[in-house]
């Protein structure tokens, strides 16, 4: 059956651009991560960002428990860095295996080959229906190289 046409609202939402990030935190001391795009800076002082996580995403519990997340900010040409975080991995392996990583002072794993990374303390959360918005205060950051970030444009507001 053909899919129904996205509504004007869904199409308009699809014109809200974002970047692409590897969102990392810890589960029992080991790094876990996923590709995120619902991210925006929301304050200058303190420097703060929001990250929306699907309510049923398994890493949500890890984020809440750890109380921190790091964003590895992908550069315009960094599409390849995303793939390990999008496929099912064999038992006993992690998405960072084989990638060049760094550790933030708080112990989170970030991608050394990303454009930059930012480590945030989670200072609150807000219910957003099928997502939970985490409010993160940026506490440490590193700019690895100059260059443009990867821009993510969606077909419509019905998906990432
Ligand atoms: C470009 C892109 C952006 C995404 N942005 C988010 C996001 O902001 N928040 C979120 O919870 N999941 C986001 N996801 C989904 C997660 O990365 C998800 O773990 C991954 O797609 C695997 O899906 P599954 O766990 O539902 O099988 C995004 C996925 C892609 C491909």
């Amino acid at each position: 059956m053909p899919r129904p046409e996205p509504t004007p609202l869904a199409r308009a939402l699809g014109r809200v651009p974002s970047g692409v990030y590897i969102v990392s935190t810890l589960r029992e001391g080991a790094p876990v991560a996923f590709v995120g795009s619902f991210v925006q800076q929301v304050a200058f002082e303190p420097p703060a960002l929001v990250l929306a996580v699907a309510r049923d995403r398994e890493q949500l519990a890890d984020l809440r428990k750890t109380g921190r997340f790091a964003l590895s900010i992908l550069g315009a040409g960094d599409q390849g860095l995303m793939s390990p975080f999008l496929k099912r991995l064999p038992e006993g392996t992690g998405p960072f295996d084989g990638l060049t990583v760094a550790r933030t002072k708080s112990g989170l794993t970030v991608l050394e080959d990303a454009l930059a990374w930012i480590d945030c303390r989670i200072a609150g959360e807000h219910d957003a229906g099928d997502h939970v918005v985490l409010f993160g205060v940026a506490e440490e950051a590193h700019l690895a190289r100059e260059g443009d970030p990867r821009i993510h444009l969606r077909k419509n507001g019905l998906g990432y």
Side-chain angles (χ1 to χ4, degrees), residues 18-21 23 33-39 51-59 63 82 85-88 130-132 150 152 154 159-160:
S18 72
V20 183
Y21 311 87
V23 182
F34 62 94
V35 174
S37 57
F38 284 2
V39 170
L51 158 70
V53 183
R55 185 169 287 287
D56 59 1
R57 190 154 312 296
E58 58 172 357
Q59 292 93 343
L63 287 158
M82 277 167 67
F85 299 90
L86 291 171
K87 58 185 181 213
R88 285 233 160 268
D130 56 6
H131 283 63
V132 174
R150 184 170 180 79
H152 181 54
R154 298 170 299 147
Y160 302 119

Side-chain angles (χ1 to χ4, degrees), residues 70-134:
L71 301 172
S72 294
I73 304 172
L74 299 196
D78 290 345
Q79 190 170 9
L81 288 178
M82 277 167 67
S83 32
F85 299 90
L86 291 171
K87 58 185 181 213
R88 285 233 160 268
L89 297 166
E91 199 61 36
T93 65
F96 288 106
D97 295 359
L99 297 175
T100 314
V101 297
R103 279 283 178 89
T104 70
K105 281 184 195 144
S106 74
L108 300 190
T109 299
V110 287
L111 289 176
E112 193 134 289
D113 292 333
L115 203 57
W117 56 257
I118 302 174
D119 185 351
C120 297
R121 171 176 53 84
I122 298 173
E125 67 169 63
H126 198 281
D127 180 15
D130 56 6
H131 283 63
V132 174
V133 176
L134 302 179

